[in-house]
Amino acid sequence: MSHGQVWRTHRQYAATAARWTADHWRKEAERRRALRAERKPLVRDARRALATARAIDPEGVTPLRHRAERELRTAKRRVPDPMWLFATKTATALGVAGYVWLPQVSARVWVWSAVAVVAAVTALSVWIAVRERDTTGLKPTAEESALLKRLQPQHWKEHAEQRGLAGTLTGRPKLTEAGIVCAVRLDGTWTATKLRAAEDHIRALLGARTSLRMQIKAGKQGGWAELTLRTRSAADGDDLTWTPERRSLGIDTVTGEQVTVPLGERLLIAGRSGAGKSVASRPLLFDASEGATNALVIIDLKRVEGRLWDHRARVASTPHEVIDVTDELETEMLDRLSILPKGQDTWTPSPDRPRITVVVDEGAEVMTAADKVPYETETSDGKTRTVNRSALPALESIARMGRAACIDLWWMTQKPTIGDGIPKQIAPQIGVSICLAVRTPAEARVVLGEDAQAKGWNADELPVPGVALIRDGKRKPDPVKVRYMDKSVVIALPDRTPWSRSVAPTMEAAGAPTLTLVTNTATEAEPVTDSATARVLKAIETADEPVRQKDLVTLTGLSKGAVSKAVKTLTTGGIVIRNRDGHLTATRGDESAAA
C-alpha cells in the first residue's frame, strides 16, 4: 500500500469517526435538552414548595421543611447539564487531574492510564450508541416522524401558548406497536378532562390529520395526562378471517393478544347501523351452538341473521314465535331451579339439558313488535276473548334469574338507550358490554358505564366497521379488531338439533314423580309428562277447594301463558273440568287417582 493510499484510508476513518461523534453529540444534546425542558418545571415546583414550607416552619423544627429541601435537591440532580456545559466540566476535570497527577507517576503507569482512559471513552461511546438504538425494531413512518418532532418538549413549549395550551408540557414521546404515546404535564387548572376537550387545539398544534384517532386519559400520577395517537395497530398484518383454528372474537390493537368472551355471561352488544354487530357476534354464536352441552336460541324479527343459523339453532322470527319460545325458556328455567340440588349454586349442563344462550338480535324491534301480541284465551265462564301478551316479562325474568339455571341472555341493539333499545329491567343485569361504533357519547355511556368518557371508553370515536370496545371489568379501553366470519361459512357449519322443551327430558327423568290418570274403566290415560302441565295438575289436586285459573299463576310460579296452555291440555284430555263459575277441579273418587 502506497503512502497516498494510507493517507486516504486514515482520512476516511477520521471523517467517519468525526461524523459518528458529531451525530452522537447531536443526539445526546437533544436528549438532554428534552429532559431539561421536562424536568425544570419540577424544580420550580419544588422551590415553591420549599418557600411554602419555610413560611410555615421558619425554624425548621418539623419534617415538612427538611422534606421539601430533600425534594428540591433531588429535582435539581435529575436535571442534566446542557451538552456544552457537560463537555466543559469533563474536559476541565480531566485537564486538572492530568496536570496534577501525571507528572508524579512513572512512564509505565502513565501509559496504562492512557490505555484505561481510551478504553473508558470507547466503552462510553458504545454505551451511548446502544442506548440510543431503537431496540423495538419499529421504524417511524413519515407521518410518525413529523408527529414525534412536534411532540418534543421544546417544540410544544414554543407553540402551546398560541394554540391555547399554555400550562401544558409534553414528556418524551415513544413509538409503540399501538402508535405514539406521550405523557403531558398539566399545570394550573388543567385536568385530563379539560385536555380532552381541547383535542382540536392539540390536533392543530401537531398538524395531525382529522381521521387520526387520538386518546387522552389521566396519567399514572396526579398532574399528568397520557396522550396516545393511534398511528398504527398491533393487529396490522394479522389475518382476521375466522376459521375453526382461529376462534377468538378478535385481536387487541394495543397488545396484539387474542380476545375471547367465555360462555356463561350476560352480554350487551351495541353499535350503530353498519358498525358490524352481526359480524362481531358470529364467532360468539358459533361457540354458543358448538358442543354437546350448549344450545342456541335466536330471536330475530328482522329475519336476516337468524336465517343463517336455523340449521343449528332454535330461531323465532315472528311475534307469536317469540312469545312461545320465551314461555318455553321461562318454564325451563323455573323447572331447573325447582329441582336444583340444595347447596348447588348453578345448574350443571348436560347433553339432555344443556346451557342455553338466548340471543335477541335487535332488541328495539322485540320491544316494539313483541310487546302487545294478540292472543285468544278462555275466560272463567268458558268464553273466548283476545288479550295482548308481551315477551318482555319472560326475557326480563331470564335476565334476572337465568344465570343459575345456565340460561344466558345476550341483548343486541343499534339503539343503545334505556327504554328505546334496552329494557330498564335488563340493563342492570348485563355483565359484559361489547360496544362497536355508536353515534354519541351518551350512547357510549349507556353501554360502557357513566365513567366511559373519563376513562377512555370513547366508543363514539371508533372507526366503522369491525372495531369494538369490550368492558368486562378486566380489560383496558383498548380497541379490538373483530374477526370476520362470512355468511357462507355459517351456512356450511354442521347441522345440530335445535333446542325445544318438547324434546327436553321430563321431570321423571330428573327424578321427580310423574302424575298418571287411572280411570274406573280400566283404561289408563297417558301420563302427564310435561313439567308445566304436571305442576298445574298437582296444584289443582292439592287445593282444598276449586281454584281459579289466575290463582294457578301464583300457586305454580309459572307464567300466564304456560298456565293457560297447561289448563287447556288438561281440560281437553278430561283430566280437569271447568265448573260453571269458572273454577277448576280435578276428577276424583273412583274415577281418578294420582300416582
Side-chain angles (χ1 to χ4, degrees):
M1 182 180 292
S2 64
H3 180 73
Q5 291 176 333
V6 172
W7 173 251
R8 284 194 296 271
T9 301
H10 282 293
R11 188 169 57 182
Q12 289 176 354
Y13 286 155
T16 302
R19 284 195 300 269
W20 185 85
T21 304
D23 183 57
H24 282 77
W25 176 282
R26 179 182 55 79
K27 288 184 178 180
E28 179 64 16
E30 291 178 354
R31 185 186 73 84
R32 288 174 173 271
R33 190 180 304 115
L35 288 177
R36 285 176 60 80
E38 178 183 346
R39 295 174 181 177
K40 283 179 69 175
L42 300 178
V43 177
R44 291 197 298 268
D45 291 348
R47 283 179 177 153
R48 285 196 293 266
L50 178 58
T52 303
R54 285 174 175 171
I56 296 174
D57 181 21
E59 302 296 332
V61 296
T62 64
L64 179 64
R65 179 172 172 176
H66 302 295
R67 183 167 58 250
E69 291 174 348
R70 287 196 305 271
E71 290 176 353
L72 177 58
R73 289 194 296 269
T74 302
K76 287 181 177 180
R77 284 196 301 268
R78 295 187 66 220
V79 178
D81 292 327
M83 192 61 185
W84 64 269
L85 182 58
F86 173 76
T88 301
K89 288 181 177 180
T90 304
T92 302
L94 291 175
V96 172
Y99 179 79
V100 174
W101 179 62
L102 290 180
Q104 301 178 9
V105 298
S106 62
R108 186 174 182 179
V109 174
W110 187 91
V111 171
W112 283 108
S113 299
V115 172
V117 170
V118 172
V121 171
T122 304
L124 178 62
S125 302
V126 172
W127 177 77
I128 293 176
V130 173
R131 183 173 178 271
E132 293 293 333
R133 186 181 302 159
D134 183 9
T135 57
T136 62
L138 299 177
K139 294 183 178 180
T141 62
E143 178 190 27
E144 289 171 339
S145 297
L147 292 172
L148 288 169
K149 183 178 180 180
R150 292 165 185 157
L151 279 169
Q152 293 296 331
Q154 190 66 27
H155 182 276
W156 185 281
K157 184 178 180 180
E158 292 175 359
H159 299 83
E161 185 173 358
Q162 61 183 348
R163 291 295 184 181
L165 296 170
T168 65
L169 185 66
T170 55
R172 189 177 183 184
K174 298 179 181 178
L175 180 61
T176 68
E177 293 182 350
I180 299 175
V181 180
C182 182
V184 182
R185 188 176 182 276
L186 307 175
D187 290 341
T189 60
W190 282 99
T191 62
T193 303
K194 185 177 178 181
L195 187 65
R196 191 180 303 113
E199 178 183 323
D200 291 339
H201 298 281
I202 299 174
R203 197 177 295 274
L205 191 155
L206 298 177
R209 51 188 166 87
T210 307
S211 59
L212 178 63
R213 287 192 61 236
M214 183 182 301
Q215 289 181 322
I216 302 172
K217 61 181 181 179
K220 297 181 180 179
Q221 57 184 357
W224 289 85
E226 185 176 280
L227 171 65
T228 303
L229 304 175
R230 299 294 183 190
T231 56
R232 58 178 66 193
S233 167
D236 290 343
D238 291 332
D239 186 2
L240 292 171
T241 305
W242 183 93
T243 65
E245 293 75 26
R246 296 193 296 264
R247 289 173 52 174
S248 63
L249 174 63
I251 300 177
D252 191 309
T253 60
V254 175
T255 64
E257 297 176 346
Q258 303 289 332
V259 179
T260 59
V261 177
L263 295 177
E265 298 286 350
R266 289 162 290 188
L267 301 186
L268 172 61
I269 306 176
R272 70 190 190 193
S273 179
K277 294 186 303 299
S278 298
V279 175
S281 65
R282 286 171 189 167
L284 301 175
L285 297 183
F286 172 81
D287 291 338
S289 63
E290 186 71 6
T293 59
N294 294 322
L296 178 62
V297 175
I298 300 178
I299 297 174
D300 180 21
L301 293 176
K302 296 187 300 182
R303 308 185 185 188
V304 177
E305 189 67 22
R307 191 179 304 171
L308 302 176
W309 297 87
D310 58 6
H311 61 295
R312 56 189 288 120
R314 171 84 175 271
V315 179
S317 55
T318 66
H320 284 84
E321 290 177 352
V322 174
I323 298 289
D324 293 339
V325 74
T326 52
D327 280 347
E328 286 188 48
L329 289 166
E330 186 181 24
T331 303
E332 175 69 13
M333 178 185 69
L334 296 173
D335 191 16
R336 292 184 182 188
L337 295 178
S338 65
I339 61 177
L340 188 67
K342 186 176 182 180
Q344 184 173 327
D345 296 331
T346 58
W347 181 264
T348 302
S350 65
D352 292 333
R353 305 190 88 163
R355 174 185 298 280
I356 305 173
T357 302
V358 185
V359 180
V360 178
D361 192 357
E362 190 41 60
E365 190 68 21
V366 172
M367 293 175 65
T368 302
D371 185 28
K372 296 181 179 179
V373 183
Y375 264 79
E376 291 186 354
T377 184
E378 293 184 8
T379 62
S380 57
D381 56 0
K383 296 181 180 180
T384 302
R385 66 186 181 93
T386 301
V387 297
N388 291 328
R389 297 189 55 202
S390 174
L392 290 180
L395 291 172
E396 292 170 353
S397 180
I398 292 171
R400 291 190 298 265
M401 305 167 56
R403 186 170 186 176
C406 279
I407 301 179
D408 307 312
L409 180 65
W410 293 0
W411 194 271
M412 300 171 58
T413 183
Q414 63 182 13
K415 297 181 180 179
T417 52
I418 302 296
D420 294 328
I422 308 173
K424 295 180 180 179
Q425 296 295 324
I426 292 179
Q429 311 301 326
I430 299 301
V432 176
S433 298
I434 301 176
C435 190
L436 292 96
V438 294
R439 293 180 178 84
T440 63
E443 293 180 344
R445 288 195 296 269
V446 171
V447 180
L448 298 169
E450 288 298 326
D451 61 344
Q453 189 174 8
K455 295 192 175 180
W457 299 88
N458 302 319
D460 55 306
E461 300 177 3
L462 292 177
V464 178
V467 180
L469 295 175
I470 303 174
R471 191 162 195 181
D472 57 2
K474 302 175 183 177
R475 286 187 50 79
K476 296 180 180 180
D478 298 337
V480 175
K481 277 193 174 182
V482 298
R483 292 198 177 278
Y484 179 76
M485 189 174 185
D486 191 73
K487 296 178 180 179
S488 59
V489 176
V490 178
I491 296 173
L493 292 174
D495 294 358
R496 296 201 60 190
T497 303
W499 174 87
S500 175
R501 281 279 295 176
S502 61
V503 297
T506 63
M507 293 183 67
E508 182 181 19
T514 301
L515 298 176
T516 307
L517 176 70
V518 181
T519 63
N520 60 349
T521 58
T523 302
E524 185 175 343
E526 293 185 2
V528 178
T529 58
D530 183 72
S531 62
T533 306
R535 195 182 303 183
V536 170
L537 177 58
K538 185 175 181 180
I540 295 174
E541 288 186 329
T542 56
D544 297 332
E545 56 185 13
V547 297
R548 294 176 298 179
Q549 181 171 324
K550 65 178 183 178
D551 294 333
L552 292 173
V553 176
T554 305
L555 294 174
T556 61
L558 299 173
S559 65
K560 293 181 180 179
V563 170
S564 177
K565 184 177 179 181
V567 169
K568 185 175 181 180
T569 301
L570 294 172
T571 54
T572 302
I575 303 174
V576 171
I577 59 175
R578 190 188 298 273
N579 300 328
R580 292 184 178 180
D581 58 0
H583 288 70
L584 300 171
T585 56
T587 55
R588 297 177 179 275
D590 296 334
E591 294 185 355
S592 68

